[in-house]
Amino acid sequence: MTMTTPLTPEIVSHEGNSMVLSMGPQHPSTHGVLQLMLEIEGETVAKIDAEIGYLHTGIEKSAENLFWSQAQTVIERMDYLAPESNALCYVLACEKLLGITGEIPERANQIRVLFGELTRLASHCVWLGTHAIDIGAITVFFHCFDLRENILDLQEAAGGARMHPNYMRIGGVNGDLPAGFLDKLDALIEKFPKLMRDLRGLLQANPIFQDRTIDVGILPAEEAVRWSVTGPALRASGIAYDVRKAFPYCGYDQYTFDVPTRTEGDAYARFLVRLDEMEESMRIVAQVRKRLDVPGPVMTSNPKVAAPPKETIALSMEALIHHFKIVSEGFRVPPGDVYHAVESPRGELGYYIVSDGGNRPYRVRTRPPSLYNLQALRGIAPGNFIADLVVMIGSLDPVFGEVDR
Amino acid sequence: MPSTQQPPIAGAAIDPTSLRAPSLDDARVERVAPAHLRERLEQLKNDGFSMLLDLGAADYLQRVPRFDVIYHLLKMPMAPAPVTALSPQRLRVLCGVDGTSPHLPTVTDLWKSADWAEREVFDLFGIVFDGHPELRRIQMPRDWEGHPLRKDYPLRGPARERSPRPPFALKSNVAAGTPPSGQTLEALQEQVKRAAEGRSTS
């Protein structure tokens, strides 16, 4: 095992102009959870190393010690800006292990797609707001959080909580959409084009914003593949890889949408791809909305994973026992291993899950898109100014709950 | 929530990965021996599996070999391509690693992204990747002992197995001179003295 010395602030090379600078974890653009060690020559970054792990909470270890359905609650907390994506990926993987993928009701899949896209919109709102603030544009933040608040309201109405609704369940979703939900959704669909026009109007043609982002942090397609970059960052480099198109799940192949791509691969291209993606997401939401008028079941009736309906519990002894068993003991999942991936707002989010036949997952390994996207910073930062690092981190959109897990 | 301090090694299935063939997902699965790992991965990379999606590990405590290191590969062009030109394919390569001194060759020279992934596996499982340029802990603090994702590592960490009642909460400890909370030093000393006298007289 060869060990090289990690960059530490104590090491200052006096040869030439280079010195080591620690950026973060207190630096505002690193949001308190990332430390960058920079070897700089004047204002130019020569070498960069990142210290992560500030938010490491052992979620994978915790998940091994919880029931299959309980593990979902900690897994939602990995990518706290897009909890529904995490939950969706986990339940889809579990359903494959259980062999009940074909039993999920149509309406449940539609609701899953709906929240998969709404959570992408909400997540991109936070990215855009904070990215703009890092660069110096403050107004955008309020517009973004206005839109996000509308989406969180919908999440709260359906799942009961704003941030971590735990609405996806193995076998379907937790309860049908409440009364009045579709009206709120209609209102959001109606006002969305204006909100989007405002957001674009504030930044897209803004000369200061363009100066800060065009030709900054260029990531060529070849490099992006070498660094395993996925999601909007990969598509801004020209490769139109989207899990929703490549390996469709939840009936994504029934909806019409495009995969926005750019070829420049700089921070401005990543910005444009994400904005286009928000519009595509809303296009999918509008298509789902049309199908949601038809009522139907939202949970599989398979007694192996689904508790019996509440009204039967008071009438049937068997239903009561069954309900008690599922709540107190969980259900067992046949042994095997499975990898399932979804397109999260940050890229390919995958779960590699091993079951030993028990009522708890044996191993839950996450493929965190943020970790790999952030790692690419080591490839694109050298040769750039320190001030542009802030733009580069923002344009890669890492979420540290997921990087550190 | 039932709190389990014992790691859940419940199932009789010691190697769940061998039980479901063909695989449940859209990936092709291969198992290679550590000796042929580099050779096979290089070959696959040349066949167009140019993206290393993920590198992870799993611990099967009772199995020989004990660990599995899992490489998820994706077929991907190295140049800009529209949706219609893509024909992505997934491949999973599993490699068993011995438990007594877990060693594997690094793949950081094939895929740059393997760098942090291998550091994470080293950090959380203690598997050493020979030839890695900078193999040190990534998630846990630098001076941490042990590898948390191993199955024989307790959930709350070593030496935190039980949370006993603090000594001052037990009446019997007053005799030993442990101060109950909320008392002055004099009162405490007095109490200790009385307890000591009481013990000697009885």
Side-chain angles (χ1 to χ4, degrees):
Chain A
M1 178 168 67
T2 52
M3 298 280 279
T4 53
T5 325
L7 287 176
T8 50
E10 295 82 47
I11 305 169
V12 181
S13 155
H14 293 286
E15 297 157 25
N17 282 329
S18 88
M19 64 178 282
V20 175
L21 179 77
S22 163
M23 178 173 167
Q26 289 86 8
H27 192 279
S29 80
T30 62
H31 304 274
V33 279
L34 168 70
Q35 187 183 17
L36 295 172
M37 304 304 296
L38 313 169
E39 194 182 308
I40 51 172
E41 280 162 16
E43 282 286 302
T44 313
V45 179
K47 197 183 161 204
I48 181 167
D49 198 5
E51 282 291 328
I52 61 170
Y54 285 87
L55 273 185
H56 180 64
T57 38
I59 289 180
E60 288 176 6
K61 183 82 176 176
S62 309
E64 288 172 9
N65 289 276
L66 296 166
F67 293 155
W68 287 92
S69 50
Q70 289 172 331
Q72 192 193 327
T73 54
V74 286
I75 277 163
E76 273 197 355
R77 277 146 181 84
M78 282 191 194
D79 182 350
Y80 43 79
L81 293 181
E84 301 279 29
S85 290
N86 285 266
L88 178 59
C89 189
Y90 174 74
V91 301
L92 287 172
C94 292
E95 281 164 7
K96 273 195 177 167
L97 272 175
L98 282 158
I100 57 167
T101 310
E103 297 173 18
I104 310 305
E106 191 60 20
R107 189 174 168 82
N109 272 335
Q110 290 160 358
I111 295 175
R112 285 175 175 186
V113 170
L114 174 73
F115 278 100
E117 293 309 312
L118 285 179
T119 201
R120 183 186 322 279
L121 270 173
S123 167
H124 280 0
C125 283
V126 176
W127 157 76
L128 184 59
T130 50
H131 187 40
I133 277 202
D134 287 346
I135 293 178
I138 304 224
T139 322
V140 187
F141 187 80
F142 302 104
H143 287 261
C144 288
F145 269 61
D146 175 37
L147 174 54
R148 178 169 183 256
E149 208 54 39
N150 282 297
I151 294 167
L152 294 187
D153 278 350
L154 290 173
Q155 239 169 233
E156 187 180 6
R162 290 171 76 246
M163 297 284 285
H164 299 288
N166 201 17
Y167 186 48
M168 310 276 176
R169 292 291 160 92
I170 296 173
V173 294
N174 178 28
D176 209 342
L177 300 170
F181 179 91
L182 291 179
D183 297 334
K184 279 189 200 162
L185 183 61
D186 284 335
L188 176 64
I189 294 174
E190 199 177 314
K191 82 181 210 191
F192 181 76
K194 188 187 170 296
L195 282 169
M196 238 11 237
R197 235 183 0 258
D198 287 349
L199 289 179
R200 279 188 191 273
L202 280 166
L203 286 179
Q204 193 163 343
N206 183 331
I208 303 172
F209 186 77
Q210 288 186 347
D211 267 2
R212 289 299 310 274
T213 52
I214 289 179
D215 287 339
V216 168
I218 297 176
L219 182 65
E222 206 182 309
E223 281 293 291
V225 173
R226 285 208 182 107
W227 286 108
S228 302
V229 171
T230 49
L234 179 67
R235 294 192 282 275
S237 301
I239 300 180
Y241 174 66
D242 187 319
V243 187
R244 292 174 294 177
K245 288 274 189 201
F247 305 98
Y249 51 90
C250 284
Y252 262 110
D253 40 354
Q254 300 162 18
Y255 304 99
T256 328
F257 63 100
D258 297 324
V259 180
T261 47
R262 311 282 300 182
T263 46
E264 298 87 349
D266 58 0
Y268 189 62
R270 294 194 272 276
F271 159 80
L272 288 178
V273 163
R274 287 208 183 87
L275 280 192
D276 291 347
E277 248 186 53
M278 288 169 80
E279 276 168 357
E280 291 301 323
S281 284
M282 211 46 178
R283 218 171 125 194
I284 300 174
V285 167
Q287 290 171 52
V288 181
R289 165 67 189 91
K290 286 197 190 111
R291 302 175 187 208
L292 282 177
D293 285 325
V294 189
V298 292
M299 188 77 186
T300 170
S301 53
N302 189 332
K304 203 168 143 193
V305 295
K310 197 80 183 164
E311 52 273 19
T312 61
I313 289 172
L315 301 172
S316 138
M317 188 65 188
E318 285 73 26
L320 180 66
I321 294 171
H322 182 206
H323 189 274
F324 179 75
K325 288 284 254 185
I326 282 223
V327 172
S328 62
E329 222 171 63
F331 47 81
R332 290 174 185 278
V333 173
D337 65 332
V338 75
Y339 175 83
H340 194 277
V342 303
E343 184 71 22
S344 97
R346 271 148 274 282
E348 169 158 347
L349 169 74
Y351 280 99
Y352 175 73
I353 299 183
V354 181
S355 169
D356 65 346
N359 56 357
R360 296 182 169 90
Y362 188 80
R363 171 86 176 104
V364 181
R365 159 75 192 168
T366 320
R367 193 253 169 217
S370 293
L371 178 89
Y372 290 101
N373 290 3
L374 180 71
Q375 193 181 189
L377 192 63
R378 298 163 66 209
I380 62 178
N384 282 287
F385 290 128
I386 302 176
D388 287 341
L389 266 181
V390 176
V391 179
M392 283 183 252
I393 300 170
S395 74
L396 290 172
D397 189 21
V399 163
F400 286 89
E402 190 180 77
V403 173
D404 301 342
R405 279 161 287 130
Chain B
M1 186 200 90
S3 164
T4 49
Q5 282 293 296
Q6 288 300 317
I9 320 166
I14 295 197
D15 187 9
T17 55
S18 64
L19 294 176
R20 298 270 190 97
S23 73
L24 297 165
D25 47 81
D26 29 35
R28 222 169 73 222
V29 183
E30 271 187 34
R31 188 173 271 285
V32 292
H36 305 294
L37 179 73
R38 282 279 316 192
E39 189 191 336
R40 183 66 188 134
L41 287 177
E42 259 170 65
Q43 194 185 350
L44 285 169
K45 197 193 167 197
N46 294 334
D47 286 352
F49 286 96
S50 49
M51 191 186 268
L52 176 74
L53 263 182
D54 193 24
L55 194 165
D59 179 6
Y60 303 102
L61 194 56
Q62 293 145 329
R63 193 188 74 171
V64 179
R66 176 173 168 182
F67 297 103
D68 257 356
V69 173
I70 304 119
Y71 299 81
H72 299 271
L73 306 182
L74 183 69
K75 208 166 213 170
M76 179 67 63
M78 302 272 282
V83 175
T84 46
L86 291 177
S87 55
Q89 248 178 298
R90 287 206 186 106
L91 179 72
R92 191 156 74 231
V93 178
L94 291 97
C95 182
V97 185
D98 181 52
T100 43
S101 88
H103 271 268
L104 265 192
T106 181
V107 292
T108 42
D109 50 334
L110 297 178
W111 292 284
K112 289 177 178 176
S113 54
D115 188 339
W116 281 8
E118 286 183 354
R119 272 176 69 189
E120 193 177 306
V121 171
F122 164 73
D123 185 1
L124 303 178
F125 285 92
I127 296 171
V128 175
F129 290 90
D130 300 315
H132 189 286
E134 202 176 347
L135 199 68
R136 57 188 170 92
R137 289 192 182 270
I138 184 166
Q139 302 285 15
M140 307 302 287
R142 277 179 202 179
D143 54 352
W144 196 263
E145 281 174 23
H147 303 286
L149 275 183
R150 287 189 173 188
K151 284 283 174 184
D152 51 6
Y153 188 96
L155 177 60
R156 287 181 178 176
R160 284 187 212 145
E161 277 298 81
R162 274 186 227 104
S163 35
R165 300 189 70 192
F168 55 79
L170 303 174
K171 272 186 185 162
S172 56
N173 278 339
V174 173
T178 316
S181 54
Q183 298 223 15
T184 60
L185 184 64
E186 288 77 24
L188 280 176
Q189 283 165 346
E190 178 65 23
Q191 198 176 1
V192 171
K193 207 174 100 196
R194 262 191 284 120
E197 279 166 6
R199 204 169 38 209
S200 61
T201 51
S202 63

